[in-house]
């Protein structure tokens, strides 16, 4: 395939998903500038790997997988940089460096404009693997299969994480839902 045809095929098949990628990147990063960078990195990686994409398969899930991998890799890189800076300030911290990197969780992800502050706060409190599933299924309205492809895990894992995440959110937001009149207050 010549270069012009490759570009046209990429534009037709992949770039139509740019808005959804940006919305998800914004929720993950919480910053327009970081979301722009993340989407740009995703598109560049996708174009560089376009010859590996199998035409006729789920391009959207493939792009979301690239986006999530880029986000997680960037987060891990920043966490290591923070830990190294802390280590330079306090050399005695080196003993627990690996365990802190392992326990680190992804940054909270605001969803400005679509949800109340209470819901945003509850989402930000979820572990990253639960937050990602809720955002992709409930906000981006992706299918379980697409989310599984995007996250690189089985469909059953997506369903389990979604169930657990919804239960956590339900527990955290019970008082808010009662105060707003979404549910009746439980009798004491």
């Amino acid at each position: 395939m010549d270069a012009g045809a490759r570009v046209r095929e990429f534009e037709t098949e992949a770039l139509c998903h740019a808005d959804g990628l940006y919305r998800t990147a914004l929720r993950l990063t919480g910053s327009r500038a970081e979301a722009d960078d993340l989407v740009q990195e995703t598109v560049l990686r996708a174009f560089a790997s376009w010859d590996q994409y199998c035409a006729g398969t789920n391009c959207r899930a493939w792009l979301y997988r690239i986006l999530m991998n880029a986000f997680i890799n960037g987060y891990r890189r920043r966490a290591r940089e923070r830990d190294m800076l802390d280590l330079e300030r306090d050399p005695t911290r080196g003993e627990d460096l690996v365990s802190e990197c392992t326990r680190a969780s992804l940054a909270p992800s605001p969803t400005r404009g679509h949800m109340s502050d209470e819901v945003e706060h509850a989402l930000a409190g979820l572990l990253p693997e639960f937050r990602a599933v809720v955002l992709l299924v409930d906000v981006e309205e992706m299918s379980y299969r697409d989310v599984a492809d995007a996250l690189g895990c089985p469909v059953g894992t997506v369903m389990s994480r979604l169930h657990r995440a919804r239960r956590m959110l339900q527990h955290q937001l019970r008082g808010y839902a009662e105060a707003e009149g979404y549910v009746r207050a439980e009798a004491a």
Side-chain angles (χ1 to χ4, degrees):
M1 175 182 319
D2 71 348
R6 183 175 187 242
V7 169
R8 283 189 298 279
E9 182 183 44
F10 181 78
E11 287 174 346
T12 303
E13 186 91 16
L15 291 185
C16 62
H17 301 290
D19 289 342
L21 290 170
Y22 179 77
R23 285 190 306 271
T24 301
L26 186 58
R27 289 181 189 102
L28 289 169
T29 63
S31 159
R32 290 185 187 279
E34 288 181 38
D36 286 338
D37 291 345
L38 182 57
V39 171
Q40 181 178 13
E41 182 177 352
T42 300
V43 170
L44 288 173
R45 285 183 181 190
F47 185 71
S49 302
W50 190 244
D51 57 329
Q52 297 172 11
Y53 171 71
C54 298
T57 61
N58 192 337
C59 185
R60 181 178 183 206
W62 184 71
L63 290 167
Y64 275 88
R65 175 93 185 251
I66 295 170
L67 176 89
M68 294 304 292
N69 287 343
F71 173 70
I72 290 167
N73 290 341
Y75 173 78
R76 288 179 180 157
R77 182 177 51 253
R78 287 188 302 277
R80 282 192 307 271
E81 289 169 356
R82 278 194 307 272
D83 285 337
M84 294 310 290
L85 286 174
D86 288 345
L87 185 60
E88 288 175 8
R89 287 187 210 121
D90 181 10
T92 62
R93 269 192 88 246
E95 301 155 6
D96 60 349
L97 184 62
V98 173
S99 61
E100 282 188 30
C101 285
T102 303
R103 288 188 313 252
S105 63
L106 295 174
S109 60
T111 52
R112 299 278 178 237
H114 298 291
M115 298 178 199
S116 69
D117 291 340
E118 291 82 357
V119 174
E120 289 178 19
H121 182 70
L123 269 173
L126 293 176
L127 291 173
E129 58 268 19
F130 295 112
R131 185 172 57 243
V133 171
V134 169
L135 288 173
L136 294 175
V137 171
D138 291 337
V139 178
E140 288 298 320
E141 299 178 349
M142 291 175 69
S143 71
Y144 293 157
R145 167 60 35 215
D146 290 350
V147 173
D149 291 344
L151 298 179
C153 64
V155 173
T157 301
V158 169
M159 294 167 62
S160 173
R161 287 179 184 173
L162 184 61
H163 175 75
R164 291 175 61 197
R166 286 175 176 167
R167 295 283 306 247
M168 288 183 248
L169 290 171
Q170 181 182 24
H171 177 73
Q172 284 183 294
L173 295 169
R174 180 72 188 187
Y176 171 72
E178 289 173 357
E180 293 295 314
Y182 294 117
V183 296
R184 280 188 262 207
E186 292 180 359

